[in-house]
Amino acid sequence: MDLLGALESLRRPLERELFPLAVGEAEADRRALRELTGQLDDYLLPRLRALDAPLLAVVGGSTGAGKSTLVNSLVGADVAEPGVLRPTTLVPTLVVSPADRPWFLGQNVLPGLSRATGGGPGALRVVDSPALGAGLALLDAPDIDSVVTANRELAAQLLAAADLWLFVTTAARYADEVPWGFLRSARERSTALAVVLDRAPPEAVEPVSRDLTRLLAENGLEGTRLFTVPEAALPDEKARLPASSVEPISTWLTGLASDAAERSRVVRQTLSGALDSLAVRVPSLADAVERQQTAFDGLRSIVAGAYAGGMADFDEGMRDGSLLRGEVLARWQDFIGTGDLMRSLESRVGWLRDRIVGFFTGRVPEAQLRDALESGVEALIRGAADGAAERALEGWSAAPGGPGLLDRLGAVESARLGRASADLGKRAEAAVRGWQEYVLDLVREEGAERRTTARVASFSVNGAGLLLMLAVFASTGGLTGIEVGIAGGTSVLSQKLLEAVFGDQAVRTLTVRAREDLRERVRGLLDEESGRFLTQLESMEPPRGTADGLRAAARRIRDHRAELPSTAGDTGTAGDTGTAGDTGTTGDAGSSADAGTAMTAELPAPHLDAPGTEPPARPGPDARRAGDRDGPGERS
């Protein structure tokens, strides 16, 4: 698999939402996912597919820094929209050479933004400018500290898609923290970078430039190319800066556009830094996906425990004799009353059997007992399902990620989950009737033996089957007073009569088989009920193995990292050029302009270091805090 294929394998798992649960730093994880996906789509994949494509320089910075005015001044035309209202840049403007227009109008760069000539929400406004040389495009981005969240996010997206940053700040705002967060990001990803100190009062040019250079060094950006644009009195906000003020920048850009080798060097530097950043960003993302998976496993375990408890409730209901209350008890009372059943049981089994025969042959219709038993089992199933649903919902409400999931489902859907499903009654009825038919089949199967045929016939299959159903609920736990005698008599009576028909061992075997069949049917119903919860998880849960897949993709990218082609500009001489700390290049517009086309060699040495050159050491506590010990040109 080549480098491009490795990147494509990384992109595929990112298609779906990976952080649906509010666990850990979920919002930061989602932001990191958006940033990684955006850089893959907007920069890494398009750039690897076309390494010799025109260079994209994004002009970014803080509110009121004068980005649009600078762009208009550089190209000598009103292509961007400066103004006094903030935010000013609502729609990013891409200024291109007529020769490069077809490339940028296609979906080669920033494919998620539609192309337009007039602009609009979600659009990229494309403007031609003959003043801009072929091979280089300028993109006027929204403010990085805009009061509009969408503008801030778009600005970050555009900067991540750039081959080169032209970062604009002012004498009044150069020490603000927000811009430095972006500049440190450029350092960490080895993005090619130049800084423009705009609107600098003449008396402040030297001290502010010196302090800005110091801050760049302290933040690991020593050697960054620094331009200074003096403050100028403009007749209105839409006026352009004097040509002499922007000539150093214009000359530098012109030289960059005309030198294919230097453009290629910039591309390779930024592309290398972006690729190397994946070694940290992707494993971190994979760890966050695993946190989500752990939370999903916890929620799934809560459901399993709740419905295991529901099954335990049903088992207890079979043992405690509660099923023999109510209608079932009433039907037995109709026949045997509450008097001397237990006293006569041992001595008068034959007589009682005759009475039972009468019971099943017309005195009390057997269908009534069967229906009563069916209703009792259904009620027991529904009670178990309701209790399990309630416990599962309560468990989710207190578990990591659970409250956010329930909020996402909404109050109505959450309330539905907290009780048995509306159609459980019909499914339980079908299950109980299926069980009753199974019990009758057991009786037919056992009664087929010659020795029991006559005895079964005296009761009928239905009668013997109902006695077996009653025997399944043979315990009297939970009943009190006279109910113990009646319910106990009911179960013992059915047991004795069955033993008289089939024999005691056969009755025990038949009872176990009938009880287990009923339990399996109920377990199936509860599994269906728990599936309502699990379906909610499955609809949101990232596919199993996503974290491992991300790590494997990162390893493949690392393994194929050497496939990034070398460029003609990699001669090992870039490190010998001047740096921002040189007196002639830090704010002296005249000396910068004198460099002519050689300005292309003055891109920041730490960001364009040739292989084998030793970048300058990085002073400053912030650089050490970022964990980058070798300088911004060294690939991390």
Side-chain angles (χ1 to χ4, degrees):
M1 178 183 290
D2 58 13
L3 180 57
L4 179 58
L7 279 173
E8 289 171 341
S9 73
L10 171 62
R11 178 64 181 86
R12 282 190 289 272
L14 309 181
E15 291 289 346
R16 62 173 295 153
E17 184 180 8
L18 298 182
F19 306 108
L21 299 180
V23 293
E25 299 294 330
E27 192 53 47
D29 296 336
R30 293 177 191 126
R31 185 167 58 252
L33 174 62
R34 288 194 301 269
E35 291 172 356
L36 177 59
T37 303
Q39 191 167 44
L40 285 167
D41 292 344
D42 297 339
Y43 181 68
L44 283 169
L45 290 170
R47 178 50 76 186
L48 268 179
R49 290 168 183 150
L51 285 169
D52 58 349
L55 193 74
L56 177 62
V58 173
V59 182
S62 303
T63 299
K67 301 182 298 296
S68 298
T69 299
L70 178 63
V71 170
N72 289 344
S73 303
L74 287 171
V75 301
D78 295 334
V79 292
E81 291 291 335
V84 295
L85 299 180
R86 301 288 178 252
T88 300
T89 304
L90 300 176
V91 177
T93 299
L94 178 62
V95 188
V96 302
S97 164
D100 295 332
R101 180 180 177 85
W103 168 260
F104 286 105
L105 280 180
Q107 297 299 301
N108 304 300
V109 178
L110 296 165
L113 297 179
S114 63
R115 270 47 173 177
T117 55
L124 179 64
R125 182 169 171 259
V126 182
V127 179
D128 294 352
S129 175
L132 203 60
L136 175 68
L138 290 178
L139 178 55
D140 180 22
D143 304 329
I144 60 172
D145 54 357
S146 172
V147 295
V148 180
T149 301
N151 280 356
R152 296 196 303 272
E153 293 175 348
L154 180 57
Q157 177 188 357
L158 298 179
L159 287 169
D163 295 301
L164 168 67
W165 288 13
L166 193 60
F167 204 83
V168 184
T169 188
T170 66
R173 304 286 303 275
Y174 74 92
D176 290 356
E177 176 55 30
V178 172
W180 286 104
F182 279 85
L183 292 172
R184 285 190 288 268
S185 174
R187 175 204 68 200
E188 291 162 1
R189 301 180 189 180
S190 296
T191 303
L193 170 68
V195 176
V196 177
L197 178 60
D198 194 16
R199 297 181 175 176
E203 68 278 6
V205 168
E206 182 178 352
V208 172
S209 297
R210 185 168 54 251
D211 194 45
L212 181 52
T213 300
R214 177 187 63 80
L215 289 174
L216 286 167
E218 288 183 356
N219 284 274
L221 292 164
E222 185 177 17
T224 297
R225 187 72 171 87
L226 176 60
F227 295 100
T228 328
V229 177
E231 187 175 39
L234 302 179
D236 58 68
E237 284 289 333
K238 296 189 177 182
R240 296 195 289 273
L241 296 166
S244 60
S245 297
V246 298
E247 184 179 0
I249 307 173
S250 179
T251 301
W252 177 66
L253 292 174
T254 299
L256 187 58
S258 64
D259 191 331
E262 286 301 325
R263 290 203 312 274
S264 181
R265 180 188 293 277
V266 170
V267 167
R268 190 174 187 276
Q269 172 193 316
T270 302
L271 185 57
S272 296
L275 287 171
D276 291 341
S277 75
L278 300 181
V280 175
R281 298 163 71 192
V282 176
S284 176
L285 204 66
D287 292 344
V289 172
E290 283 188 339
R291 285 195 294 272
Q292 290 280 317
Q293 191 64 68
T294 299
F296 274 107
D297 289 344
L299 295 174
R300 190 176 286 105
S301 177
I302 287 171
V303 175
Y307 280 88
M311 192 67 217
D313 290 345
F314 180 80
D315 287 339
E316 181 63 21
M318 285 201 301
R319 290 192 301 267
D320 67 8
S322 61
L323 204 77
L324 302 180
R325 296 173 179 175
E327 187 68 16
V328 176
L329 190 61
R331 291 308 167 200
W332 276 95
Q333 286 176 324
D334 286 346
F335 175 64
I336 60 175
T338 60
D340 55 358
L341 169 65
M342 295 303 295
R343 291 191 300 273
S344 62
L345 182 60
E346 294 295 333
S347 61
R348 303 178 64 192
V349 169
W351 176 81
L352 286 170
R353 182 173 59 203
D354 294 339
R355 297 289 301 273
I356 295 298
V357 170
F359 171 72
F360 284 120
T361 55
R363 195 177 158 191
V364 177
E366 65 184 42
Q368 291 183 348
L369 177 58
R370 182 169 174 172
D371 290 345
L373 189 59
E374 178 182 314
S375 297
V377 177
E378 289 172 14
L380 187 59
I381 292 171
R382 186 167 191 89
D386 278 332
E390 184 177 353
R391 285 191 293 270
L393 188 67
E394 289 177 352
W396 277 16
S397 299
L405 185 152
L406 295 177
D407 288 343
R408 184 168 177 166
L409 293 177
V412 173
E413 183 60 28
S414 297
R416 288 174 181 166
L417 279 178
R419 56 181 183 272
S421 55
D423 66 341
L424 177 63
K426 292 182 179 179
R427 290 186 286 117
E429 179 182 346
V432 173
R433 287 183 178 178
W435 173 67
Q436 290 176 330
E437 291 300 322
Y438 172 78
V439 172
L440 294 180
D441 288 341
L442 285 180
V443 171
R444 292 188 188 97
E445 179 183 330
E446 188 68 21
E449 296 185 19
R450 183 176 302 174
R451 64 183 177 82
T452 60
T453 300
R455 283 174 287 180
V456 171
S458 68
F459 290 100
S460 81
V461 170
N462 287 345
L466 283 170
L467 290 176
L468 181 55
M469 294 175 202
L470 290 172
V472 168
F473 310 98
S475 177
T476 60
L479 300 181
T480 59
I482 197 169
E483 284 185 323
V484 174
I486 298 172
T490 300
S491 56
V492 173
L493 174 60
S494 63
Q495 185 86 8
K496 290 294 184 181
L497 291 174
L498 284 172
E499 289 175 0
V501 175
F502 297 113
D504 57 349
Q505 181 59 44
V507 170
R508 283 193 292 272
T509 301
L510 291 173
T511 302
V512 169
R513 291 176 65 184
R515 181 180 292 118
E516 287 305 310
D517 182 81
L518 178 58
R519 293 184 75 254
E520 285 303 311
R521 293 174 191 270
V522 173
R523 183 178 289 110
L525 290 173
L526 293 181
D527 286 345
E528 292 173 1
E529 288 293 292
S530 69
R532 299 178 305 132
F533 288 86
L534 301 181
T535 297
Q536 299 296 338
L537 298 181
E538 290 166 1
S539 66
M540 290 185 282
E541 185 177 12
R544 291 277 176 174
T546 295
D548 291 339
L550 290 174
R551 294 190 183 98
R555 288 193 297 270
R556 287 194 293 270
I557 292 170
R558 181 197 61 200
D559 293 343
H560 293 280
R561 174 69 177 75
E563 295 176 9
L564 185 63
S566 298
T567 65
D570 289 334
T571 61
T573 61
D576 299 329
T577 62
T579 68
D582 295 337
T583 305
T585 61
T586 307
D588 189 329
S591 60
S592 297
D594 291 339
T597 58
M599 292 297 293
T600 55
E602 294 187 5
L603 278 166
H607 298 285
L608 291 174
D609 56 299
T613 61
E614 185 70 25
R618 178 179 300 166
D622 187 78
R624 290 192 295 274
R625 185 170 62 251
D628 192 350
R629 298 171 297 175
D630 298 317
E634 185 69 17
R635 310 295 184 245
S636 58

